[in-house]
Amino acid sequence: MSNKDIGYDTINLGHGSGGLMTRDLLDHIIFETFSNPYLDQKHDGSIIKVDGEMAISTDSFVVSPIFFKGGNIGELAVNGTVNDVAMCGANPKFLSLAFVVEEGLPMGDFIKIVKSIKETADRAGVQIITGDTKVVERGKGDKIFINTTGFGKVHPEAHISPYKIKAGDKIIISGPVAQHGMAIMSQRDGLEFESTIESDTTNLNFLVNDLLDGFGDKIHLFRDPTRGGLASVLSEIASDTELGISIKETEIPLDDQVAAACEILGLDPLFVANEGIFVTIVDAEVADAVLELMKKDKKGARAACIGEFTQEHPKKVVMHSVIGGKRMVTPMIGEQLPRIC
Amino acid sequence: MSNKDIGYDTINLGHGSGGLMTRDLLDHIIFETFSNPYLDQKHDGSIIKVDGEMAISTDSFVVSPIFFKGGNIGELAVNGTVNDVAMCGANPKFLSLAFVVEEGLPMGDFIKIVKSIKETADRAGVQIITGDTKVVERGKGDKIFINTTGFGKVHPEAHISPYKIKAGDKIIISGPVAQHGMAIMSQRDGLEFESTIESDTTNLNFLVNDLLDGFGDKIHLFRDPTRGGLASVLSEIASDTELGISIKETEIPLDDQVAAACEILGLDPLFVANEGIFVTIVDAEVADAVLELMKKDKKGARAACIGEFTQEHPKKVVMHSVIGGKRMVTPMIGEQLPRIC
């Protein structure tokens, strides 16, 4: 598959027309890359056989730049939705894939993104079963936006709900914070700085599945701290319960280089977006065993218990800081860094 | 629900941040409008119980202008995906809903679109069960793009497939062609012309369901001639079989005003997009009864049998023209009119 196969160096308005050019683009790039019995139906949609409880999640990805250290928009679009389905306690199996491409996107970039989507989907064990491609005029979009919607069967042992959380429950995070946001920021126009920080984008579904296999209904919640960062997610969870959250700053995994970059730019790493980590709220009695299991997996190697739920200060998140004080952790209000995912 | 409730006259980057402004927008506009037990889970996704064969279809909507005669982008985003699921022989029940909004969109326009989505979803009998909202900087989008992904159970009597088509099968269209495309075109910058042509956007799922109830596996295919128009869809169907298609120009329903507008602009109505009609391929023995049933429904009142499949000219579409000649109908090649849906 190359630019030559479809005779155009860039994406053209005609590629979104629904006519022959669209068909060429689909046949030579999309169908060739993702071929599977569902997509090969080539209908307006796809038919799957399912049975029981299914989780469904949708996300649009508008990250800028579209290629960044540690990943690209295609990789993000697969992992992001795979992880959202996993956070429901489900095993993602199918994805829909919809592009809104700006006229003039180099065909090579489009092909690179499509290939990356295929590789990322294979790694996560999901299939692309239906899709759509639209093209907008130059200046009416920003290179490429991608929507993915994911489906997967809920794990038979999953009982995921904020209502299950009780005082004493432990809060475990699977890895270091703020990597994705700082990787994007280091490459953002006008903000570029030298760093080797890479996005943490990855699929978390297998690790989530292992936890549900091992601990079933002792796992009370999964949540991935993407936009808005860890602070926004913890605030949201606290507000969904009648309990408070108490966390220790010293326990939150954070790379030195990421911490330094945040400090230089005056950013709070708790507000910075993540793509490859999750928070889980577990019954205290299994917390150590959960940590042990997570640390055996590369994606949870740096997992840490960062705090617990408490009867005190209901609906509020309080952080015990490095220097011994306490501070209230509030959700982010406006926009710290737009177009992060 | 009004602009005042959320304190902003326009959509801001902060509304896509994942922080407090996002939560405000969701709580006051999205959750309030669409409230249902699935969406109210307020999780990263939604959990539904299903059993059997499900059809899934996704579509992004980028139409310009976003408000047009006979509808708006929100209405289109619901009906378009509802119809794509219906075309699979399924009964759409659930939709995901993802916005990519350009900074500066008047809040009133956003609210108007959201309300219209709710009304259109109610009419079609579908629920919005999960969603996403992203905001891009001014000049990096075009007011609003919407992705919907739809799910529905396949009708127990449906056996929809191009492989079931045989010579003699009749081709029935549910209503007049080219209305949506010409309605958009009459309001497109630089092209405006006086007309009362309205988009035909509507949901077709109930009529499709009635046909499957009545005729089961005698219905061989449904397809909605949206982008690329009737010509592109018929060409595509023909190329998926080993048969030819023969149609009669005089039988294709077309409003005088639409025909006149096409003539003035030099457009072939067979290439112009539709949003509220479908083509069905049926066994010849039920064709009359299918037509009779369709005509009883307002959405099929002007249904017509426009032709049939034939052993001759395999994979080609031949039209018998008004003046008695024959011409080959080819799919559209490039883009006739961009941003139609």
Side-chain angles (χ1 to χ4, degrees), chain B residues 83-124:
Chain B
N83 293 347
D84 279 351
V85 172
M87 296 301 111
C88 298
N91 191 12
K93 276 290 157 211
F94 305 113
L95 284 187
S96 67
L97 174 65
F99 296 108
V100 174
V101 187
E102 186 189 9
E103 180 188 12
L105 179 77
M107 193 61 77
D109 285 357
F110 184 68
I111 291 173
K112 203 167 151 188
I113 289 166
V114 167
K115 282 186 174 168
S116 180
I117 288 173
K118 167 67 174 162
E119 289 159 14
T120 313
D122 285 348
R123 273 198 298 273

mmCIF file of all heavy atoms in Angstrom, chain B residues 83-124:
data_model
loop_
_atom_site.group_PDB
_atom_site.id
_atom_site.type_symbol
_atom_site.label_atom_id
_atom_site.label_comp_id
_atom_site.label_asym_id
_atom_site.label_seq_id
_atom_site.Cartn_x
_atom_site.Cartn_y
_atom_site.Cartn_z
ATOM 1 N N ASN B 83 -30.804 5.454 10.131
ATOM 2 C CA ASN B 83 -31.107 4.842 8.836
ATOM 3 C C ASN B 83 -30.049 3.826 8.414
ATOM 4 O O ASN B 83 -30.369 2.797 7.836
ATOM 5 C CB ASN B 83 -31.268 5.927 7.765
ATOM 6 C CG ASN B 83 -32.513 6.780 8.015
ATOM 7 O OD1 ASN B 83 -33.365 6.410 8.827
ATOM 8 N ND2 ASN B 83 -32.606 7.919 7.359
ATOM 9 N N ASP B 84 -28.781 4.119 8.703
ATOM 10 C CA ASP B 84 -27.729 3.162 8.349
ATOM 11 C C ASP B 84 -27.909 1.844 9.105
ATOM 12 O O ASP B 84 -27.675 0.769 8.561
ATOM 13 C CB ASP B 84 -26.336 3.756 8.642
ATOM 14 C CG ASP B 84 -25.874 4.683 7.520
ATOM 15 O OD1 ASP B 84 -26.535 4.729 6.463
ATOM 16 O OD2 ASP B 84 -24.844 5.359 7.696
ATOM 17 N N VAL B 85 -28.314 1.931 10.371
ATOM 18 C CA VAL B 85 -28.583 0.704 11.144
ATOM 19 C C VAL B 85 -29.800 -0.004 10.542
ATOM 20 O O VAL B 85 -29.788 -1.231 10.347
ATOM 21 C CB VAL B 85 -28.816 1.027 12.637
ATOM 22 C CG1 VAL B 85 -29.286 -0.211 13.399
ATOM 23 C CG2 VAL B 85 -27.531 1.575 13.278
ATOM 24 N N ALA B 86 -30.829 0.771 10.205
ATOM 25 C CA ALA B 86 -32.037 0.178 9.603
ATOM 26 C C ALA B 86 -31.710 -0.520 8.290
ATOM 27 O O ALA B 86 -32.250 -1.588 7.996
ATOM 28 C CB ALA B 86 -33.102 1.259 9.395
ATOM 29 N N MET B 87 -30.808 0.074 7.495
ATOM 30 C CA MET B 87 -30.439 -0.514 6.201
ATOM 31 C C MET B 87 -29.793 -1.898 6.353
ATOM 32 O O MET B 87 -29.759 -2.683 5.431
ATOM 33 C CB MET B 87 -29.483 0.411 5.409
ATOM 34 C CG MET B 87 -30.083 1.758 5.006
ATOM 35 S SD MET B 87 -31.563 1.665 3.962
ATOM 36 C CE MET B 87 -32.836 2.248 5.080
ATOM 37 N N CYS B 88 -29.281 -2.181 7.540
ATOM 38 C CA CYS B 88 -28.741 -3.523 7.842
ATOM 39 C C CYS B 88 -29.871 -4.490 8.205
ATOM 40 O O CYS B 88 -29.609 -5.635 8.577
ATOM 41 C CB CYS B 88 -27.753 -3.468 8.999
ATOM 42 S SG CYS B 88 -26.297 -2.460 8.708
ATOM 43 N N GLY B 89 -31.115 -4.035 8.155
ATOM 44 C CA GLY B 89 -32.238 -4.890 8.546
ATOM 45 C C GLY B 89 -32.404 -4.950 10.048
ATOM 46 O O GLY B 89 -32.946 -5.910 10.583
ATOM 47 N N ALA B 90 -31.962 -3.904 10.736
ATOM 48 C CA ALA B 90 -32.005 -3.910 12.205
ATOM 49 C C ALA B 90 -32.858 -2.762 12.721
ATOM 50 O O ALA B 90 -33.189 -1.824 11.993
ATOM 51 C CB ALA B 90 -30.594 -3.803 12.768
ATOM 52 N N ASN B 91 -33.186 -2.858 13.993
ATOM 53 C CA ASN B 91 -34.044 -1.897 14.647
ATOM 54 C C ASN B 91 -33.197 -1.040 15.599
ATOM 55 O O ASN B 91 -32.905 -1.457 16.709
ATOM 56 C CB ASN B 91 -35.095 -2.683 15.441
ATOM 57 C CG ASN B 91 -36.193 -1.777 15.935
ATOM 58 O OD1 ASN B 91 -36.295 -0.632 15.519
ATOM 59 N ND2 ASN B 91 -36.991 -2.295 16.849
ATOM 60 N N PRO B 92 -32.781 0.163 15.173
ATOM 61 C CA PRO B 92 -31.878 0.972 16.005
ATOM 62 C C PRO B 92 -32.491 1.319 17.358
ATOM 63 O O PRO B 92 -33.649 1.731 17.416
ATOM 64 C CB PRO B 92 -31.663 2.227 15.167
ATOM 65 C CG PRO B 92 -32.762 2.252 14.154
ATOM 66 C CD PRO B 92 -33.139 0.831 13.914
ATOM 67 N N LYS B 93 -31.717 1.164 18.425
ATOM 68 C CA LYS B 93 -32.211 1.445 19.775
ATOM 69 C C LYS B 93 -31.317 2.424 20.536
ATOM 70 O O LYS B 93 -31.788 3.176 21.382
ATOM 71 C CB LYS B 93 -32.291 0.137 20.576
ATOM 72 C CG LYS B 93 -33.573 -0.652 20.337
ATOM 73 C CD LYS B 93 -34.794 0.062 20.938
ATOM 74 C CE LYS B 93 -36.082 -0.353 20.263
ATOM 75 N NZ LYS B 93 -37.084 0.698 20.248
ATOM 76 N N PHE B 94 -30.010 2.361 20.300
ATOM 77 C CA PHE B 94 -29.047 3.159 21.071
ATOM 78 C C PHE B 94 -28.126 3.946 20.149
ATOM 79 O O PHE B 94 -27.736 3.447 19.096
ATOM 80 C CB PHE B 94 -28.177 2.245 21.938
ATOM 81 C CG PHE B 94 -28.968 1.351 22.846
ATOM 82 C CD1 PHE B 94 -28.981 -0.024 22.656
ATOM 83 C CD2 PHE B 94 -29.701 1.883 23.896
ATOM 84 C CE1 PHE B 94 -29.712 -0.856 23.499
ATOM 85 C CE2 PHE B 94 -30.433 1.066 24.750
ATOM 86 C CZ PHE B 94 -30.442 -0.305 24.553
ATOM 87 N N LEU B 95 -27.777 5.156 20.591
ATOM 88 C CA LEU B 95 -26.807 5.973 19.858
ATOM 89 C C LEU B 95 -25.747 6.491 20.811
ATOM 90 O O LEU B 95 -26.065 6.883 21.934
ATOM 91 C CB LEU B 95 -27.473 7.213 19.239
ATOM 92 C CG LEU B 95 -28.343 7.133 17.997
ATOM 93 C CD1 LEU B 95 -28.705 8.550 17.555
ATOM 94 C CD2 LEU B 95 -27.647 6.402 16.865
ATOM 95 N N SER B 96 -24.502 6.512 20.354
ATOM 96 C CA SER B 96 -23.492 7.332 21.028
ATOM 97 C C SER B 96 -23.438 8.661 20.285
ATOM 98 O O SER B 96 -23.831 8.748 19.121
ATOM 99 C CB SER B 96 -22.125 6.650 21.008
ATOM 100 O OG SER B 96 -21.634 6.580 19.687
ATOM 101 N N LEU B 97 -22.946 9.694 20.954
ATOM 102 C CA LEU B 97 -23.007 11.058 20.425
ATOM 103 C C LEU B 97 -21.721 11.791 20.781
ATOM 104 O O LEU B 97 -21.439 12.014 21.952
ATOM 105 C CB LEU B 97 -24.209 11.767 21.078
ATOM 106 C CG LEU B 97 -24.418 13.241 20.801
ATOM 107 C CD1 LEU B 97 -24.730 13.477 19.321
ATOM 108 C CD2 LEU B 97 -25.548 13.793 21.667
ATOM 109 N N ALA B 98 -20.942 12.163 19.771
ATOM 110 C CA ALA B 98 -19.665 12.839 20.038
ATOM 111 C C ALA B 98 -19.573 14.132 19.230
ATOM 112 O O ALA B 98 -19.748 14.126 18.017
ATOM 113 C CB ALA B 98 -18.508 11.905 19.694
ATOM 114 N N PHE B 99 -19.311 15.229 19.959
ATOM 115 C CA PHE B 99 -19.190 16.548 19.336
ATOM 116 C C PHE B 99 -17.721 16.957 19.210
ATOM 117 O O PHE B 99 -16.946 16.770 20.154
ATOM 118 C CB PHE B 99 -19.843 17.624 20.214
ATOM 119 C CG PHE B 99 -21.322 17.469 20.408
ATOM 120 C CD1 PHE B 99 -21.845 17.058 21.625
ATOM 121 C CD2 PHE B 99 -22.199 17.743 19.371
ATOM 122 C CE1 PHE B 99 -23.212 16.937 21.811
ATOM 123 C CE2 PHE B 99 -23.568 17.623 19.549
ATOM 124 C CZ PHE B 99 -24.079 17.219 20.771
ATOM 125 N N VAL B 100 -17.387 17.560 18.066
ATOM 126 C CA VAL B 100 -16.152 18.346 17.967
ATOM 127 C C VAL B 100 -16.603 19.762 17.647
ATOM 128 O O VAL B 100 -17.081 20.035 16.533
ATOM 129 C CB VAL B 100 -15.193 17.804 16.883
ATOM 130 C CG1 VAL B 100 -13.994 18.735 16.729
ATOM 131 C CG2 VAL B 100 -14.726 16.393 17.225
ATOM 132 N N VAL B 101 -16.509 20.643 18.644
ATOM 133 C CA VAL B 101 -17.047 21.999 18.503
ATOM 134 C C VAL B 101 -15.904 22.985 18.297
ATOM 135 O O VAL B 101 -14.853 22.861 18.922
ATOM 136 C CB VAL B 101 -17.843 22.403 19.774
ATOM 137 C CG1 VAL B 101 -18.539 23.745 19.553
ATOM 138 C CG2 VAL B 101 -18.856 21.337 20.160
ATOM 139 N N GLU B 102 -16.118 23.951 17.404
ATOM 140 C CA GLU B 102 -15.135 25.023 17.218
ATOM 141 C C GLU B 102 -15.395 26.089 18.278
ATOM 142 O O GLU B 102 -16.547 26.517 18.469
ATOM 143 C CB GLU B 102 -15.287 25.621 15.812
ATOM 144 C CG GLU B 102 -14.212 26.649 15.478
ATOM 145 C CD GLU B 102 -14.496 27.397 14.171
ATOM 146 O OE1 GLU B 102 -15.596 27.233 13.619
ATOM 147 O OE2 GLU B 102 -13.606 28.150 13.728
ATOM 148 N N GLU B 103 -14.311 26.504 18.937
ATOM 149 C CA GLU B 103 -14.380 27.597 19.914
ATOM 150 C C GLU B 103 -15.152 28.784 19.313
ATOM 151 O O GLU B 103 -14.938 29.137 18.159
ATOM 152 C CB GLU B 103 -12.930 28.027 20.196
ATOM 153 C CG GLU B 103 -12.737 29.136 21.170
ATOM 154 C CD GLU B 103 -11.257 29.595 21.187
ATOM 155 O OE1 GLU B 103 -10.478 29.190 20.286
ATOM 156 O OE2 GLU B 103 -10.888 30.342 22.098
ATOM 157 N N GLY B 104 -16.066 29.336 20.090
ATOM 158 C CA GLY B 104 -16.800 30.504 19.602
ATOM 159 C C GLY B 104 -18.189 30.178 19.070
ATOM 160 O O GLY B 104 -18.958 31.097 18.757
ATOM 161 N N LEU B 105 -18.522 28.896 18.959
ATOM 162 C CA LEU B 105 -19.894 28.559 18.531
ATOM 163 C C LEU B 105 -20.855 29.170 19.538
ATOM 164 O O LEU B 105 -20.705 28.973 20.752
ATOM 165 C CB LEU B 105 -20.090 27.033 18.489
ATOM 166 C CG LEU B 105 -21.505 26.579 18.069
ATOM 167 C CD1 LEU B 105 -21.691 26.712 16.546
ATOM 168 C CD2 LEU B 105 -21.800 25.147 18.503
ATOM 169 N N PRO B 106 -21.867 29.936 19.059
ATOM 170 C CA PRO B 106 -22.821 30.506 20.015
ATOM 171 C C PRO B 106 -23.468 29.398 20.840
ATOM 172 O O PRO B 106 -23.871 28.367 20.304
ATOM 173 C CB PRO B 106 -23.848 31.201 19.112
ATOM 174 C CG PRO B 106 -23.118 31.478 17.829
ATOM 175 C CD PRO B 106 -22.142 30.346 17.675
ATOM 176 N N MET B 107 -23.539 29.615 22.161
ATOM 177 C CA MET B 107 -24.119 28.615 23.051
ATOM 178 C C MET B 107 -25.563 28.309 22.635
ATOM 179 O O MET B 107 -26.013 27.167 22.731
ATOM 180 C CB MET B 107 -24.063 29.123 24.491
ATOM 181 C CG MET B 107 -24.350 28.083 25.547
ATOM 182 S SD MET B 107 -23.184 26.695 25.549
ATOM 183 C CE MET B 107 -21.766 27.472 26.349
ATOM 184 N N GLY B 108 -26.263 29.351 22.150
ATOM 185 C CA GLY B 108 -27.641 29.164 21.706
ATOM 186 C C GLY B 108 -27.732 28.163 20.551
ATOM 187 O O GLY B 108 -28.668 27.352 20.492
ATOM 188 N N ASP B 109 -26.762 28.220 19.642
ATOM 189 C CA ASP B 109 -26.762 27.264 18.527
ATOM 190 C C ASP B 109 -26.520 25.848 19.045
ATOM 191 O O ASP B 109 -27.144 24.892 18.592
ATOM 192 C CB ASP B 109 -25.658 27.616 17.512
ATOM 193 C CG ASP B 109 -26.031 28.820 16.655
ATOM 194 O OD1 ASP B 109 -27.157 29.340 16.813
ATOM 195 O OD2 ASP B 109 -25.195 29.235 15.836
ATOM 196 N N PHE B 110 -25.591 25.738 20.004
ATOM 197 C CA PHE B 110 -25.282 24.415 20.562
ATOM 198 C C PHE B 110 -26.532 23.838 21.224
ATOM 199 O O PHE B 110 -26.897 22.673 20.991
ATOM 200 C CB PHE B 110 -24.123 24.526 21.563
ATOM 201 C CG PHE B 110 -23.680 23.202 22.114
ATOM 202 C CD1 PHE B 110 -23.055 22.257 21.299
ATOM 203 C CD2 PHE B 110 -23.878 22.882 23.449
ATOM 204 C CE1 PHE B 110 -22.655 21.022 21.794
ATOM 205 C CE2 PHE B 110 -23.475 21.659 23.965
ATOM 206 C CZ PHE B 110 -22.858 20.725 23.143
ATOM 207 N N ILE B 111 -27.201 24.669 22.016
ATOM 208 C CA ILE B 111 -28.403 24.200 22.728
ATOM 209 C C ILE B 111 -29.507 23.816 21.730
ATOM 210 O O ILE B 111 -30.171 22.789 21.875
ATOM 211 C CB ILE B 111 -28.893 25.292 23.712
ATOM 212 C CG1 ILE B 111 -27.887 25.427 24.868
ATOM 213 C CG2 ILE B 111 -30.289 24.968 24.253
ATOM 214 C CD1 ILE B 111 -28.167 26.589 25.818
ATOM 215 N N LYS B 112 -29.645 24.618 20.690
ATOM 216 C CA LYS B 112 -30.660 24.338 19.658
ATOM 217 C C LYS B 112 -30.383 22.970 19.005
ATOM 218 O O LYS B 112 -31.302 22.174 18.776
ATOM 219 C CB LYS B 112 -30.579 25.458 18.599
ATOM 220 C CG LYS B 112 -31.836 25.668 17.790
ATOM 221 C CD LYS B 112 -31.735 27.009 17.027
ATOM 222 C CE LYS B 112 -32.528 26.953 15.745
ATOM 223 N NZ LYS B 112 -32.303 28.148 14.907
ATOM 224 N N ILE B 113 -29.120 22.705 18.723
ATOM 225 C CA ILE B 113 -28.746 21.437 18.091
ATOM 226 C C ILE B 113 -28.987 20.270 19.050
ATOM 227 O O ILE B 113 -29.524 19.233 18.662
ATOM 228 C CB ILE B 113 -27.267 21.492 17.621
ATOM 229 C CG1 ILE B 113 -27.148 22.441 16.418
ATOM 230 C CG2 ILE B 113 -26.747 20.104 17.260
ATOM 231 C CD1 ILE B 113 -25.730 22.839 16.075
ATOM 232 N N VAL B 114 -28.609 20.452 20.311
ATOM 233 C CA VAL B 114 -28.801 19.387 21.301
ATOM 234 C C VAL B 114 -30.293 19.068 21.459
ATOM 235 O O VAL B 114 -30.690 17.893 21.473
ATOM 236 C CB VAL B 114 -28.170 19.784 22.663
ATOM 237 C CG1 VAL B 114 -28.630 18.848 23.775
ATOM 238 C CG2 VAL B 114 -26.648 19.780 22.562
ATOM 239 N N LYS B 115 -31.120 20.117 21.528
ATOM 240 C CA LYS B 115 -32.578 19.883 21.652
ATOM 241 C C LYS B 115 -33.126 19.159 20.429
ATOM 242 O O LYS B 115 -33.992 18.286 20.535
ATOM 243 C CB LYS B 115 -33.316 21.225 21.811
ATOM 244 C CG LYS B 115 -33.209 21.790 23.210
ATOM 245 C CD LYS B 115 -34.085 23.041 23.363
ATOM 246 C CE LYS B 115 -34.081 23.515 24.809
ATOM 247 N NZ LYS B 115 -34.658 24.860 24.965
ATOM 248 N N SER B 116 -32.627 19.542 19.274
ATOM 249 C CA SER B 116 -33.084 18.919 18.041
ATOM 250 C C SER B 116 -32.673 17.442 18.004
ATOM 251 O O SER B 116 -33.420 16.590 17.533
ATOM 252 C CB SER B 116 -32.483 19.688 16.866
ATOM 253 O OG SER B 116 -32.889 19.131 15.663
ATOM 254 N N ILE B 117 -31.487 17.151 18.521
ATOM 255 C CA ILE B 117 -31.032 15.751 18.595
ATOM 256 C C ILE B 117 -31.986 14.951 19.476
ATOM 257 O O ILE B 117 -32.391 13.833 19.132
ATOM 258 C CB ILE B 117 -29.587 15.688 19.139
ATOM 259 C CG1 ILE B 117 -28.616 16.210 18.081
ATOM 260 C CG2 ILE B 117 -29.216 14.261 19.568
ATOM 261 C CD1 ILE B 117 -27.187 16.358 18.558
ATOM 262 N N LYS B 118 -32.370 15.543 20.602
ATOM 263 C CA LYS B 118 -33.281 14.854 21.522
ATOM 264 C C LYS B 118 -34.628 14.562 20.845
ATOM 265 O O LYS B 118 -35.144 13.438 20.890
ATOM 266 C CB LYS B 118 -33.468 15.720 22.772
ATOM 267 C CG LYS B 118 -34.607 15.323 23.693
ATOM 268 C CD LYS B 118 -34.381 13.978 24.367
ATOM 269 C CE LYS B 118 -35.492 13.699 25.383
ATOM 270 N NZ LYS B 118 -35.544 12.277 25.737
ATOM 271 N N GLU B 119 -35.198 15.584 20.195
ATOM 272 C CA GLU B 119 -36.502 15.405 19.545
ATOM 273 C C GLU B 119 -36.428 14.365 18.428
ATOM 274 O O GLU B 119 -37.330 13.533 18.279
ATOM 275 C CB GLU B 119 -36.988 16.741 18.941
ATOM 276 C CG GLU B 119 -37.404 17.759 19.996
ATOM 277 C CD GLU B 119 -37.387 19.193 19.459
ATOM 278 O OE1 GLU B 119 -37.311 19.386 18.223
ATOM 279 O OE2 GLU B 119 -37.431 20.115 20.289
ATOM 280 N N THR B 120 -35.346 14.438 17.654
ATOM 281 C CA THR B 120 -35.205 13.503 16.533
ATOM 282 C C THR B 120 -35.014 12.083 17.048
ATOM 283 O O THR B 120 -35.562 11.121 16.496
ATOM 284 C CB THR B 120 -34.012 13.922 15.643
ATOM 285 O OG1 THR B 120 -34.101 15.322 15.391
ATOM 286 C CG2 THR B 120 -34.018 13.175 14.332
ATOM 287 N N ALA B 121 -34.242 11.944 18.127
ATOM 288 C CA ALA B 121 -34.007 10.615 18.718
ATOM 289 C C ALA B 121 -35.323 10.052 19.259
ATOM 290 O O ALA B 121 -35.623 8.868 19.070
ATOM 291 C CB ALA B 121 -32.959 10.712 19.825
ATOM 292 N N ASP B 122 -36.110 10.903 19.904
ATOM 293 C CA ASP B 122 -37.411 10.455 20.418
ATOM 294 C C ASP B 122 -38.309 9.961 19.280
ATOM 295 O O ASP B 122 -38.946 8.918 19.390
ATOM 296 C CB ASP B 122 -38.124 11.597 21.171
ATOM 297 C CG ASP B 122 -37.507 11.842 22.550
ATOM 298 O OD1 ASP B 122 -36.705 10.990 22.995
ATOM 299 O OD2 ASP B 122 -37.840 12.870 23.169
ATOM 300 N N ARG B 123 -38.345 10.737 18.214
ATOM 301 C CA ARG B 123 -39.185 10.331 17.069
ATOM 302 C C ARG B 123 -38.748 8.987 16.495
ATOM 303 O O ARG B 123 -39.573 8.191 16.052
ATOM 304 C CB ARG B 123 -39.118 11.389 15.955
ATOM 305 C CG ARG B 123 -40.122 12.521 16.101
ATOM 306 C CD ARG B 123 -40.303 13.268 14.770
ATOM 307 N NE ARG B 123 -39.064 13.891 14.318
ATOM 308 C CZ ARG B 123 -38.666 15.106 14.674
ATOM 309 N NH1 ARG B 123 -39.402 15.844 15.485
ATOM 310 N NH2 ARG B 123 -37.530 15.600 14.210
ATOM 311 N N ALA B 124 -37.441 8.756 16.504
ATOM 312 C CA ALA B 124 -36.922 7.508 15.925
ATOM 313 C C ALA B 124 -36.915 6.370 16.939
ATOM 314 O O ALA B 124 -36.572 5.233 16.597
ATOM 315 C CB ALA B 124 -35.514 7.735 15.370
#
